[in-house]
Amino acid sequence: GKWTKYLQITVKLLAGERKICDEVFEGISFNKDQCFTELARTGVAVAKTLLSFGDAVAKSKRSSEKLFVLLDMYEVMHEVRSEVEVIFQDSFCSEMREAALGLMKLLAQTAHEMFVDFEELVEKDTSKTNVHDGTVHPLTIRVINHVKFLFDYQSTLKLLFQEFETGSDTESQLAVVLTKIMQALQNNLDGKSNQYKDPALMSIFLANNIHYMAVQTLSIQVASSSGTSASSDLSSSGVSRAMIKERSTAMVEVFQYAI
């Protein structure tokens, strides 16, 4: 949180310095870009430190919770991108410009890879937690909460997918990613259901988990249609309908299998 705040402040101050420098030295024959670099040396040093820190975070050990940190950082980097390109437009500041754009791409790449990591983590989860009474498994709760958080970042995710799928339908990309996660969960639950010796209890376990997945998914759709802040874009894009239909079809198939 502090990193994003300080980055925004630093970029804003440097943008002001750049504007003043351009206005004061307009029409003068000497290199005003070099002058700006010298005058804003302290601010540039701060920006460099912030970018280095961001780079270290993006390269550090991955975790499912860390995905949201990277998405926050990517969102801020995208917001200040145009200002950064103006501030560091000349050859004297090319290193800073390239570092900023490089960090944004690194954050996008790492976040993109973490989707794949999470999908594999869900499908291969071998936690020893046993649900003896057939109620909702803790893995189901964790995965659904993760997916619900992702909906809060749908606008950022669309921008992120554009980094890799130029000209493609980013809304479809989001739906595909989330559907894969849900499918991975479904596959894992199928495996976990085999721990029950009683076929009836196995069916109850699958039915309870599928019911939980379906109700939570529908709650996202309700939030979208009511115009709440987290899902207004999703409602207008139609992504939720397509994704819910796809998930629900898969859930019904599993439920029928369980019966």
Side-chain angles (χ1 to χ4, degrees):
K2 289 183 178 180
W3 183 88
T4 58
K5 179 182 177 181
Y6 294 153
L7 181 69
Q8 289 171 318
I9 292 173
T10 301
V11 170
K12 185 176 181 179
L13 290 174
L14 286 173
E17 292 289 342
R18 182 80 203 198
K19 182 179 179 182
I20 293 173
C21 186
D22 290 344
E23 291 176 352
V24 170
F25 298 113
E26 184 178 4
I28 299 178
S29 59
F30 72 90
N31 195 322
K32 63 181 179 181
D33 293 329
Q34 184 178 5
C35 182
F36 166 75
T37 303
E38 293 296 327
L39 291 172
R41 183 183 302 174
T42 301
V44 171
V46 172
K48 187 174 182 179
T49 301
L50 289 170
L51 293 178
S52 297
F53 178 81
D55 189 73
V57 171
K59 293 178 179 178
S60 60
K61 185 177 179 179
R62 300 178 184 180
S63 68
S64 57
E65 294 79 10
K66 187 180 171 183
L67 172 61
F68 303 105
V69 174
L70 297 183
L71 291 176
D72 284 334
M73 295 172 70
Y74 175 80
E75 183 177 8
V76 171
M77 290 300 301
H78 192 277
E79 287 176 358
V80 302
R81 178 175 185 171
S82 58
E83 290 181 291
V84 166
E85 290 178 341
V86 172
I87 296 169
F88 304 117
Q89 58 185 288
D90 58 89
S91 59
F92 293 96
C93 298
S94 60
E95 181 182 350
M96 288 295 299
R97 182 176 66 252
E98 292 172 3
L101 297 178
L103 174 58
M104 191 172 74
K105 290 181 179 180
L106 177 61
L107 290 169
Q109 179 67 40
T110 305
H112 193 270
E113 292 173 354
M114 287 176 70
F115 279 113
V116 178
D117 292 345
F118 185 71
E119 179 189 339
E120 293 178 352
L121 183 67
V122 171
E123 185 147 15
K124 297 178 181 179
D125 177 77
T126 57
S127 56
K128 302 300 182 181
T129 304
N130 293 322
V131 185
H132 299 291
D133 56 358
T135 54
V136 179
H137 197 278
L139 176 66
T140 303
I141 297 173
R142 290 199 302 271
V143 173
I144 293 300
N145 285 339
H146 188 86
V147 170
K148 290 173 74 173
F149 276 127
L150 286 176
F151 273 94
D152 292 339
Y153 289 87
Q154 55 191 299
S155 298
T156 304
L157 289 171
K158 290 176 185 177
L159 294 173
L160 186 146
F161 289 133
Q162 288 175 1
E163 297 279 346
F164 306 94
E165 305 291 340
T166 305
S168 66
D169 186 351
T170 55
E171 294 176 355
S172 297
Q173 286 293 315
L174 177 58
V176 168
V177 167
L178 296 181
T179 301
K180 285 183 176 180
I181 293 174
M182 297 297 285
Q183 185 62 54
L185 174 59
Q186 178 182 312
N187 293 340
N188 189 285
L189 291 172
D190 284 341
K192 283 181 168 47
S193 67
N194 293 325
Q195 67 182 306
Y196 296 102
K197 304 302 181 183
D198 183 351
L201 194 55
M202 178 181 72
S203 297
I204 290 174
F205 171 76
L206 287 172
N208 282 332
N209 281 272
I210 293 168
H211 180 264
Y212 182 86
M213 293 164 67
V215 171
Q216 293 299 316
T217 302
L218 290 174
S219 70
I220 297 174
Q221 187 181 37
V222 170
S224 298
S225 61
S226 63
T228 53
S229 59
S231 305
S232 57
D233 289 343
L234 185 65
S235 179
S236 62
S237 70
V239 174
S240 66
R241 293 191 185 92
M243 184 168 59
I244 289 173
K245 181 179 179 181
E246 196 168 348
R247 284 193 214 160
S248 298
T249 300
M251 291 174 189
V252 169
E253 291 176 355
V254 174
F255 183 73
Q256 290 174 338
Y257 167 78
I259 296 298

